[in-house]
Amino acid sequence: MRISRSLTLALLLAVGAGAGCATQPPVRAWQREHLAKRAMQFDDGLEGRFRSHLFYAREGAFGGYGDAGGGCGCN
Amino acid sequence: MRAAARPGTIGVAALLFLLAQPAWAEDRVSVRGMYYREASTRVVQPLAVITKDLPAGFDIGVHYALDAITSASEAQGNETDYIRTELRHEASLAVGKRFDRTRVAVAVRESREPDYQSHSGGVSVTRGVWDNSGVVGLNGSVARDTLSRGALDMANQKFHLTILFAGVSYDQALTPTLRAQLGYEFMYQDGFLGNVYRNVPNFGLEKPPDTRFRHALTPRVARYFPTVGLGLQLHYRFYFDHWTGDAIERAAGQFVRPEYGADPWFGFAHTVEGRIFKELGRDVEVRLSYRYHTQTSTDFYCNTYGNLGGDPGCYPQFSLYYSADEKLGGLDTHMPEVKVYWTPRIFANVPVLRHFAHGTVELSYAYLFQQTHYGDAHFLQSGYTLPF
């Protein structure tokens, strides 16, 4: 019963969110001036690529830079 | 391919960088220089990228990079170093096509150095959603690497490594000054996952498990304060490894910490980075950042570096896996960085130089604090990007 209520609630939330999406976005095209600022960009481009390989070679983790690292003798 | 001491070389990254170019990318050329220096390693890398929009919604990107790496390699485990300098050439080509809000791109990449060759190909799809206030991205790639010990191995034994990579991300503008992104990346590696120059005391060439499943979950948020021209970013990454091994390996059960079960890779990591952007007038912007990374040790690894509190004989006699790769152990790193962006509009009326007035000059310096035997490192980057 509890699971069923949870599912119903989740479904209502999803439908609500979907309905919201169907009406209008949170930020309209003419409101995006600041979103184009450098400070709002997550992609580091070439800089991020080099950083990702540096960390690939010196740390045991990977990810977050949109690339797999490797492809080189940096292991 | 040398050693653990190769930090800056580029791989599938280049490919995916080109794949990731936005459909509306302006035509531009970028040149960069990177310099990395730690006690036993120096990397110098010039690099050039050109991207151009073509008719009918197509775009193209090409890149070339040259790595010059000088390092003292650990060909004799932790005992003896020797100095080598090596060059690596890398080139890639990517072609994209835009269909309304969707962009599809394919790319290929080739990397060559005397003892390491890598070929890869990939595809990416991005689509604007919700009136383009959000972007969904999917990408994947396959790489096939071939390793050898070069002139050090008269028998010219070859090692191979296959890498599958997949990523999905969702980026959403939440308000006119707030943006968030959530990404998940997965990598499957199959083949020789060690370094063909790195030996383990009493064992010889290291032997890590030959399969690895790697996962990274990366939420990010950015906020801009227009009244003061200030931006803040917070990046977080949760990373974990897993692999249950095959039946024989589970039966052997010879891992260093069997309490974690029979997963030799078991380990996870947290990485946090904060960035502050400040505009200083019309043409200059400064970025200050601090990155912290912490990770647990993988299950099979033990520290053989006696000068770093380890025990050269820590691996049991019949260990299934053994490695002297310190990044497989528990460690923390810290990296503060300062970066300056400059648009040289002051040259707008200067003959010849006026052609460069609308590009962007970038200069950054970072200091990497490491606990490993590599020691701390200096990391300098410079670049110039010119739209045309």
Side-chain angles (χ1 to χ4, degrees):
Chain A
M1 184 65 175
R2 192 169 291 172
I3 293 175
S4 144
R5 276 187 190 166
S6 301
L7 284 175
T8 304
L9 181 60
L11 186 61
L12 286 173
L13 286 173
V15 169
C21 293
T23 54
Q24 68 173 36
V27 182
R28 309 309 299 265
W30 59 85
Q31 297 176 310
R32 295 175 192 166
E33 173 192 355
H34 300 311
L35 296 172
K37 297 280 187 181
R38 186 176 286 120
M40 302 300 283
Q41 310 306 313
F42 294 122
D43 180 8
D44 288 333
L46 295 170
E47 174 195 3
R49 192 177 74 188
F50 195 83
R51 280 168 59 114
S52 74
H53 279 268
L54 162 64
F55 298 132
Y56 182 86
R58 289 295 179 261
E59 297 171 352
F62 99 102
Y65 295 96
D67 70 73
C72 58
C74 51
N75 186 27
Chain B
M1 166 184 130
R2 169 179 359 110
R6 173 77 62 88
T9 46
I10 304 174
V12 179
L15 179 70
L16 290 162
F17 170 75
L18 290 174
L19 280 171
Q21 297 306 299
W24 53 90
E26 59 191 0
D27 300 341
R28 64 181 188 269
V29 57
S30 298
V31 291
R32 293 190 76 85
M34 291 87 160
Y35 177 79
Y36 178 90
R37 178 70 193 236
E38 59 189 22
S40 300
T41 303
R42 183 187 67 206
V43 181
V44 179
Q45 183 194 78
L47 179 151
V49 176
I50 299 175
T51 57
K52 177 152 183 53
D53 280 342
L54 301 174
F58 284 95
D59 58 86
I60 188 170
V62 295
H63 111 277
Y64 170 75
L66 173 67
D67 268 343
I69 307 107
T70 302
S71 65
S73 292
E74 302 155 294
Q76 306 302 318
N78 342 352
E79 298 157 6
T80 306
D81 276 0
Y82 69 100
I83 306 295
R84 290 182 64 188
T85 296
E86 200 168 68
L87 298 179
R88 186 182 70 91
H89 303 270
E90 179 184 276
S92 67
L93 167 69
V95 177
K97 164 74 173 165
R98 186 176 63 242
F99 305 91
D100 190 24
R101 293 180 179 181
T102 302
R103 177 178 181 263
V104 179
V106 295
V108 292
R109 182 192 62 87
E110 176 81 10
S111 172
R112 285 195 170 273
E113 53 193 309
D115 49 9
Y116 203 109
Q117 289 83 46
S118 177
H119 323 275
S120 58
V123 60
S124 77
V125 180
T126 55
R127 179 169 176 79
V129 296
W130 206 0
D131 199 21
N132 273 339
S133 67
V135 177
V136 176
L138 300 169
N139 62 55
S141 68
V142 180
R144 175 71 169 170
D145 297 356
T146 302
L147 308 70
S148 71
R149 290 169 61 93
L152 293 179
D153 181 11
M154 298 301 289
N156 197 25
Q157 182 183 5
K158 302 288 188 188
F159 301 81
H160 299 282
L161 175 63
T162 299
I163 302 171
L164 304 179
F165 173 83
V168 58
S169 66
Y170 180 65
D171 191 320
Q172 178 66 53
L174 299 172
T175 74
T177 57
L178 181 63
R179 184 178 172 196
Q181 184 185 71
L182 180 63
Y184 166 74
E185 293 174 358
F186 166 76
M187 190 190 330
Y188 167 75
Q189 294 174 298
D190 182 45
F192 183 69
L193 288 167
N195 185 301
V196 294
Y197 295 105
R198 190 163 46 221
N199 293 332
V200 176
N202 306 323
F203 285 87
L205 179 63
E206 66 179 359
K207 184 191 170 200
D210 57 8
T211 304
R212 193 173 185 182
F213 292 85
R214 315 180 72 178
H215 309 263
L217 190 63
T218 55
R220 293 169 169 158
V221 63
R223 175 75 195 272
Y224 185 71
F225 300 90
T227 54
V228 289
L230 183 78
L232 301 177
Q233 287 191 5
L234 184 62
H235 301 208
Y236 170 71
R237 177 182 69 190
F238 175 67
Y239 167 88
F240 67 98
D241 262 305
H242 82 85
W243 182 53
T244 56
D246 61 30
I248 294 174
E249 287 154 335
R250 282 196 295 273
Q254 292 177 8
F255 304 121
V256 177
R257 289 185 299 281
E259 64 270 25
Y260 292 129
D263 184 349
W265 285 114
F266 179 84
F268 54 87
H270 303 278
T271 307
V272 179
E273 181 171 347
R275 298 178 176 181
I276 301 173
F277 295 76
K278 180 71 177 87
E279 296 163 5
L280 303 175
R282 188 180 65 153
D283 298 335
V284 177
E285 185 168 359
V286 175
R287 187 188 81 187
L288 302 175
S289 63
Y290 191 86
R291 180 184 185 274
Y292 170 66
H293 170 83
T294 184
Q295 68 181 53
T296 64
S297 174
T298 56
D299 192 23
F300 78 95
Y301 176 80
C302 73
N303 181 4
T304 58
Y305 292 83
N307 57 342
L308 292 173
D311 173 10
C314 64
Y315 283 105
Q317 183 179 3
F318 298 107
S319 290
L320 213 52
Y321 306 118
Y322 36 87
S323 172
D325 187 355
E326 286 181 275
K327 68 175 178 287
L328 299 180
L331 59 82
D332 297 341
T333 63
H334 303 260
M335 193 175 85
E337 182 176 32
V338 58
K339 180 170 183 176
V340 177
Y341 303 87
W342 177 47
T343 304
R345 271 187 271 251
I346 58 170
F347 296 142
N349 298 314
V350 179
V352 181
L353 291 179
R354 70 174 185 271
H355 298 294
F356 302 95
H358 298 289
T360 302
V361 177
E362 299 175 29
L363 186 64
S364 67
Y365 171 75
Y367 190 84
L368 178 63
F369 295 90
Q370 303 184 98
Q371 301 166 320
T372 58
H373 80 278
Y374 302 119
D376 296 345
H378 301 274
F379 183 26
L380 182 68
Q381 292 194 77
S382 61
Y384 177 74
T385 299
L386 180 69
F388 64 92

